[in-house]
PDB file of all heavy atoms in Angstrom:
ATOM      1  N   ARG A   5     -91.753-136.107  39.627  1.00 59.00           N
ATOM      2  CA  ARG A   5     -91.942-135.261  40.806  1.00 59.00           C
ATOM      3  C   ARG A   5     -93.362-135.447  41.329  1.00 59.00           C
ATOM      4  O   ARG A   5     -94.315-135.434  40.567  1.00 59.00           O
ATOM      5  CB  ARG A   5     -91.708-133.807  40.464  1.00 59.00           C
ATOM      6  CG  ARG A   5     -90.284-133.542  40.061  1.00 59.00           C
ATOM      7  CD  ARG A   5     -90.117-132.139  39.653  1.00 59.00           C
ATOM      8  NE  ARG A   5     -89.817-131.346  40.834  1.00 59.00           N
ATOM      9  CZ  ARG A   5     -89.764-130.023  40.848  1.00 59.00           C
ATOM     10  NH1 ARG A   5     -89.999-129.352  39.762  1.00 59.00           N
ATOM     11  NH2 ARG A   5     -89.474-129.376  41.934  1.00 59.00           N
ATOM     12  N   LYS A   6     -93.447-135.593  42.596  1.00 56.00           N
ATOM     13  CA  LYS A   6     -94.752-135.731  43.227  1.00 56.00           C
ATOM     14  C   LYS A   6     -95.268-134.336  43.556  1.00 56.00           C
ATOM     15  O   LYS A   6     -94.591-133.565  44.224  1.00 56.00           O
ATOM     16  CB  LYS A   6     -94.629-136.568  44.491  1.00 56.00           C
ATOM     17  CG  LYS A   6     -95.931-136.977  45.077  1.00 56.00           C
ATOM     18  CD  LYS A   6     -95.721-137.918  46.245  1.00 56.00           C
ATOM     19  CE  LYS A   6     -97.041-138.430  46.735  1.00 56.00           C
ATOM     20  NZ  LYS A   6     -96.870-139.336  47.856  1.00 56.00           N
ATOM     21  N   THR A   7     -96.436-134.024  43.062  1.00 55.00           N
ATOM     22  CA  THR A   7     -96.998-132.704  43.324  1.00 55.00           C
ATOM     23  C   THR A   7     -97.841-132.758  44.586  1.00 55.00           C
ATOM     24  O   THR A   7     -98.573-133.715  44.833  1.00 55.00           O
ATOM     25  CB  THR A   7     -97.873-132.226  42.150  1.00 55.00           C
ATOM     26  OG1 THR A   7     -98.920-133.161  41.944  1.00 55.00           O
ATOM     27  CG2 THR A   7     -97.047-132.079  40.893  1.00 55.00           C
ATOM     28  N   ALA A   8     -97.718-131.732  45.372  1.00 56.00           N
ATOM     29  CA  ALA A   8     -98.487-131.647  46.609  1.00 56.00           C
ATOM     30  C   ALA A   8     -99.892-131.152  46.299  1.00 56.00           C
ATOM     31  O   ALA A   8    -100.078-130.241  45.497  1.00 56.00           O
ATOM     32  CB  ALA A   8     -97.803-130.690  47.579  1.00 56.00           C
ATOM     33  N   THR A   9    -100.844-131.780  46.909  1.00 60.00           N
ATOM     34  CA  THR A   9    -102.225-131.337  46.720  1.00 60.00           C
ATOM     35  C   THR A   9    -102.664-130.573  47.951  1.00 60.00           C
ATOM     36  O   THR A   9    -102.283-130.900  49.075  1.00 60.00           O
ATOM     37  CB  THR A   9    -103.167-132.541  46.506  1.00 60.00           C
ATOM     38  OG1 THR A   9    -103.069-133.399  47.646  1.00 60.00           O
ATOM     39  CG2 THR A   9    -102.796-133.303  45.250  1.00 60.00           C
ATOM     40  N   ALA A  10    -103.448-129.551  47.732  1.00 60.00           N
ATOM     41  CA  ALA A  10    -103.949-128.738  48.836  1.00 60.00           C
ATOM     42  C   ALA A  10    -104.986-129.544  49.618  1.00 60.00           C
ATOM     43  O   ALA A  10    -105.755-130.304  49.032  1.00 60.00           O
ATOM     44  CB  ALA A  10    -104.572-127.458  48.298  1.00 60.00           C
ATOM     45  N   PRO A  11    -105.008-129.402  50.936  1.00 71.00           N
ATOM     46  CA  PRO A  11    -105.977-130.163  51.723  1.00 71.00           C
ATOM     47  C   PRO A  11    -107.423-129.730  51.448  1.00 71.00           C
ATOM     48  O   PRO A  11    -108.334-130.523  51.572  1.00 71.00           O
ATOM     49  CB  PRO A  11    -105.585-129.888  53.167  1.00 71.00           C
ATOM     50  CG  PRO A  11    -104.729-128.677  53.121  1.00 71.00           C
ATOM     51  CD  PRO A  11    -104.132-128.604  51.764  1.00 71.00           C
ATOM     52  N   TRP A  12    -107.623-128.465  51.084  1.00 69.00           N
ATOM     53  CA  TRP A  12    -108.964-127.966  50.793  1.00 69.00           C
ATOM     54  C   TRP A  12    -108.941-127.198  49.486  1.00 69.00           C
ATOM     55  O   TRP A  12    -107.960-126.554  49.139  1.00 69.00           O
ATOM     56  CB  TRP A  12    -109.456-127.024  51.878  1.00 69.00           C
ATOM     57  CG  TRP A  12    -109.643-127.674  53.194  1.00 69.00           C
ATOM     58  CD1 TRP A  12    -110.385-128.776  53.471  1.00 69.00           C
ATOM     59  CD2 TRP A  12    -109.074-127.268  54.427  1.00 69.00           C
ATOM     60  NE1 TRP A  12    -110.325-129.080  54.794  1.00 69.00           N
ATOM     61  CE2 TRP A  12    -109.526-128.166  55.420  1.00 69.00           C
ATOM     62  CE3 TRP A  12    -108.228-126.236  54.804  1.00 69.00           C
ATOM     63  CZ2 TRP A  12    -109.168-128.061  56.743  1.00 69.00           C
ATOM     64  CZ3 TRP A  12    -107.880-126.125  56.121  1.00 69.00           C
ATOM     65  CH2 TRP A  12    -108.340-127.044  57.076  1.00 69.00           C
ATOM     66  N   THR A  13    -110.043-127.234  48.815  1.00 75.00           N
ATOM     67  CA  THR A  13    -110.168-126.421  47.607  1.00 75.00           C
ATOM     68  C   THR A  13    -110.646-125.025  48.006  1.00 75.00           C
ATOM     69  O   THR A  13    -111.057-124.793  49.147  1.00 75.00           O
ATOM     70  CB  THR A  13    -111.182-127.042  46.636  1.00 75.00           C
ATOM     71  OG1 THR A  13    -112.467-127.029  47.240  1.00 75.00           O
ATOM     72  CG2 THR A  13    -110.788-128.463  46.259  1.00 75.00           C
ATOM     73  N   ALA A  14    -110.600-124.108  47.061  1.00 70.00           N
ATOM     74  CA  ALA A  14    -111.039-122.741  47.339  1.00 70.00           C
ATOM     75  C   ALA A  14    -112.517-122.700  47.710  1.00 70.00           C
ATOM     76  O   ALA A  14    -112.925-121.920  48.571  1.00 70.00           O
ATOM     77  CB  ALA A  14    -110.774-121.852  46.126  1.00 70.00           C
ATOM     78  N   ASP A  15    -113.319-123.563  47.086  1.00 73.00           N
ATOM     79  CA  ASP A  15    -114.746-123.603  47.410  1.00 73.00           C
ATOM     80  C   ASP A  15    -114.983-124.075  48.844  1.00 73.00           C
ATOM     81  O   ASP A  15    -115.835-123.540  49.553  1.00 73.00           O
ATOM     82  CB  ASP A  15    -115.494-124.516  46.439  1.00 73.00           C
ATOM     83  CG  ASP A  15    -115.565-123.934  45.035  1.00 73.00           C
ATOM     84  OD1 ASP A  15    -115.452-122.692  44.909  1.00 73.00           O
ATOM     85  OD2 ASP A  15    -115.727-124.718  44.078  1.00 73.00           O
ATOM     86  N   GLU A  16    -114.227-125.081  49.263  1.00 74.00           N
ATOM     87  CA  GLU A  16    -114.377-125.579  50.626  1.00 74.00           C
ATOM     88  C   GLU A  16    -113.974-124.524  51.642  1.00 74.00           C
ATOM     89  O   GLU A  16    -114.624-124.356  52.669  1.00 74.00           O
ATOM     90  CB  GLU A  16    -113.545-126.836  50.831  1.00 74.00           C
ATOM     91  CG  GLU A  16    -114.079-128.043  50.111  1.00 74.00           C
ATOM     92  CD  GLU A  16    -113.156-129.232  50.223  1.00 74.00           C
ATOM     93  OE1 GLU A  16    -111.947-129.041  50.518  1.00 74.00           O
ATOM     94  OE2 GLU A  16    -113.628-130.366  50.008  1.00 74.00           O
ATOM     95  N   ILE A  17    -112.896-123.808  51.368  1.00 73.00           N
ATOM     96  CA  ILE A  17    -112.454-122.747  52.275  1.00 73.00           C
ATOM     97  C   ILE A  17    -113.506-121.647  52.347  1.00 73.00           C
ATOM     98  O   ILE A  17    -113.841-121.154  53.421  1.00 73.00           O
ATOM     99  CB  ILE A  17    -111.085-122.181  51.824  1.00 73.00           C
ATOM    100  CG1 ILE A  17    -110.006-123.250  52.006  1.00 73.00           C
ATOM    101  CG2 ILE A  17    -110.735-120.927  52.610  1.00 73.00           C
ATOM    102  CD1 ILE A  17    -108.673-122.871  51.440  1.00 73.00           C
ATOM    103  N   GLY A  18    -114.064-121.262  51.193  1.00 72.00           N
ATOM    104  CA  GLY A  18    -115.109-120.247  51.183  1.00 72.00           C
ATOM    105  C   GLY A  18    -116.336-120.670  51.962  1.00 72.00           C
ATOM    106  O   GLY A  18    -116.940-119.879  52.691  1.00 72.00           O
ATOM    107  N   THR A  19    -116.700-121.937  51.841  1.00 76.00           N
ATOM    108  CA  THR A  19    -117.855-122.453  52.574  1.00 76.00           C
ATOM    109  C   THR A  19    -117.596-122.441  54.078  1.00 76.00           C
ATOM    110  O   THR A  19    -118.452-122.052  54.863  1.00 76.00           O
ATOM    111  CB  THR A  19    -118.177-123.891  52.115  1.00 76.00           C
ATOM    112  OG1 THR A  19    -118.387-123.878  50.711  1.00 76.00           O
ATOM    113  CG2 THR A  19    -119.401-124.430  52.804  1.00 76.00           C
ATOM    114  N   ARG A  20    -116.403-122.845  54.456  1.00 73.00           N
ATOM    115  CA  ARG A  20    -116.062-122.841  55.889  1.00 73.00           C
ATOM    116  C   ARG A  20    -116.039-121.424  56.450  1.00 73.00           C
ATOM    117  O   ARG A  20    -116.507-121.185  57.557  1.00 73.00           O
ATOM    118  CB  ARG A  20    -114.705-123.503  56.115  1.00 73.00           C
ATOM    119  CG  ARG A  20    -114.736-124.994  55.950  1.00 73.00           C
ATOM    120  CD  ARG A  20    -113.338-125.559  56.096  1.00 73.00           C
ATOM    121  NE  ARG A  20    -113.317-126.957  55.801  1.00 73.00           N
ATOM    122  CZ  ARG A  20    -113.192-127.906  56.725  1.00 73.00           C
ATOM    123  NH1 ARG A  20    -113.079-127.568  57.981  1.00 73.00           N
ATOM    124  NH2 ARG A  20    -113.186-129.166  56.382  1.00 73.00           N
ATOM    125  N   LEU A  21    -115.466-120.486  55.716  1.00 70.00           N
ATOM    126  CA  LEU A  21    -115.411-119.106  56.191  1.00 70.00           C
ATOM    127  C   LEU A  21    -116.801-118.474  56.258  1.00 70.00           C
ATOM    128  O   LEU A  21    -117.062-117.631  57.109  1.00 70.00           O
ATOM    129  CB  LEU A  21    -114.498-118.270  55.297  1.00 70.00           C
ATOM    130  CG  LEU A  21    -113.010-118.546  55.438  1.00 70.00           C
ATOM    131  CD1 LEU A  21    -112.214-117.712  54.442  1.00 70.00           C
ATOM    132  CD2 LEU A  21    -112.538-118.267  56.850  1.00 70.00           C
ATOM    133  N   ALA A  22    -117.685-118.873  55.367  1.00 73.00           N
ATOM    134  CA  ALA A  22    -119.041-118.335  55.392  1.00 73.00           C
ATOM    135  C   ALA A  22    -119.804-118.828  56.614  1.00 73.00           C
ATOM    136  O   ALA A  22    -120.700-118.141  57.104  1.00 73.00           O
ATOM    137  CB  ALA A  22    -119.782-118.720  54.115  1.00 73.00           C
ATOM    138  N   ARG A  23    -119.449-119.999  57.130  1.00 76.00           N
ATOM    139  CA  ARG A  23    -120.143-120.550  58.299  1.00 76.00           C
ATOM    140  C   ARG A  23    -119.627-119.993  59.612  1.00 76.00           C
ATOM    141  O   ARG A  23    -120.285-120.131  60.643  1.00 76.00           O
ATOM    142  CB  ARG A  23    -119.982-122.063  58.328  1.00 76.00           C
ATOM    143  CG  ARG A  23    -120.928-122.802  57.442  1.00 76.00           C
ATOM    144  CD  ARG A  23    -121.015-124.272  57.817  1.00 76.00           C
ATOM    145  NE  ARG A  23    -119.788-124.838  58.336  1.00 76.00           N
ATOM    146  CZ  ARG A  23    -119.084-125.784  57.740  1.00 76.00           C
ATOM    147  NH1 ARG A  23    -119.461-126.255  56.573  1.00 76.00           N
ATOM    148  NH2 ARG A  23    -117.999-126.264  58.291  1.00 76.00           N
ATOM    149  N   VAL A  24    -118.473-119.358  59.641  1.00 73.00           N
ATOM    150  CA  VAL A  24    -117.857-118.904  60.890  1.00 73.00           C
ATOM    151  C   VAL A  24    -118.758-117.945  61.661  1.00 73.00           C
ATOM    152  O   VAL A  24    -118.987-118.161  62.857  1.00 73.00           O
ATOM    153  CB  VAL A  24    -116.457-118.300  60.629  1.00 73.00           C
ATOM    154  CG1 VAL A  24    -115.936-117.573  61.847  1.00 73.00           C
ATOM    155  CG2 VAL A  24    -115.501-119.397  60.214  1.00 73.00           C
ATOM    156  N   PRO A  25    -119.308-116.866  61.058  1.00 75.00           N
ATOM    157  CA  PRO A  25    -120.176-115.984  61.855  1.00 75.00           C
ATOM    158  C   PRO A  25    -121.400-116.705  62.414  1.00 75.00           C
ATOM    159  O   PRO A  25    -121.810-116.449  63.546  1.00 75.00           O
ATOM    160  CB  PRO A  25    -120.588-114.890  60.872  1.00 75.00           C
ATOM    161  CG  PRO A  25    -119.539-114.903  59.825  1.00 75.00           C
ATOM    162  CD  PRO A  25    -119.079-116.321  59.731  1.00 75.00           C
ATOM    163  N   ALA A  26    -121.979-117.614  61.658  1.00 77.00           N
ATOM    164  CA  ALA A  26    -123.142-118.354  62.147  1.00 77.00           C
ATOM    165  C   ALA A  26    -122.747-119.261  63.307  1.00 77.00           C
ATOM    166  O   ALA A  26    -123.495-119.400  64.279  1.00 77.00           O
ATOM    167  CB  ALA A  26    -123.759-119.164  61.016  1.00 77.00           C
ATOM    168  N   ASP A  27    -121.570-119.874  63.219  1.00 78.00           N
ATOM    169  CA  ASP A  27    -121.104-120.745  64.303  1.00 78.00           C
ATOM    170  C   ASP A  27    -120.844-119.939  65.573  1.00 78.00           C
ATOM    171  O   ASP A  27    -121.192-120.372  66.670  1.00 78.00           O
ATOM    172  CB  ASP A  27    -119.826-121.481  63.894  1.00 78.00           C
ATOM    173  CG  ASP A  27    -120.065-122.514  62.803  1.00 78.00           C
ATOM    174  OD1 ASP A  27    -121.237-122.882  62.583  1.00 78.00           O
ATOM    175  OD2 ASP A  27    -119.080-122.925  62.169  1.00 78.00           O
ATOM    176  N   ILE A  28    -120.248-118.762  65.426  1.00 79.00           N
ATOM    177  CA  ILE A  28    -119.993-117.907  66.591  1.00 79.00           C
ATOM    178  C   ILE A  28    -121.303-117.454  67.205  1.00 79.00           C
ATOM    179  O   ILE A  28    -121.477-117.474  68.424  1.00 79.00           O
ATOM    180  CB  ILE A  28    -119.106-116.711  66.193  1.00 79.00           C
ATOM    181  CG1 ILE A  28    -117.698-117.190  65.855  1.00 79.00           C
ATOM    182  CG2 ILE A  28    -119.053-115.682  67.315  1.00 79.00           C
ATOM    183  CD1 ILE A  28    -116.810-116.119  65.272  1.00 79.00           C
ATOM    184  N   ALA A  29    -122.244-117.027  66.377  1.00 77.00           N
ATOM    185  CA  ALA A  29    -123.544-116.576  66.880  1.00 77.00           C
ATOM    186  C   ALA A  29    -124.265-117.710  67.602  1.00 77.00           C
ATOM    187  O   ALA A  29    -124.877-117.487  68.658  1.00 77.00           O
ATOM    188  CB  ALA A  29    -124.396-116.045  65.737  1.00 77.00           C
ATOM    189  N   GLU A  30    -124.187-118.905  67.072  1.00 82.00           N
ATOM    190  CA  GLU A  30    -124.859-120.049  67.707  1.00 82.00           C
ATOM    191  C   GLU A  30    -124.192-120.405  69.034  1.00 82.00           C
ATOM    192  O   GLU A  30    -124.865-120.755  69.992  1.00 82.00           O
ATOM    193  CB  GLU A  30    -124.837-121.251  66.759  1.00 82.00           C
ATOM    194  CG  GLU A  30    -125.698-122.396  67.214  1.00 82.00           C
ATOM    195  CD  GLU A  30    -127.173-122.036  67.315  1.00 82.00           C
ATOM    196  OE1 GLU A  30    -127.670-121.251  66.485  1.00 82.00           O
ATOM    197  OE2 GLU A  30    -127.839-122.531  68.240  1.00 82.00           O
TER     198      GLU A  30
END
Side-chain angles (χ1 to χ4, degrees):
R5 295 176 88 188
K6 191 174 186 180
T7 59
T9 58
W12 295 306
T13 64
D15 291 337
E16 289 174 340
I17 292 173
T19 304
R20 287 176 186 254
L21 288 177
R23 279 197 327 245
V24 168
D27 291 344
I28 291 172
E30 190 62 36

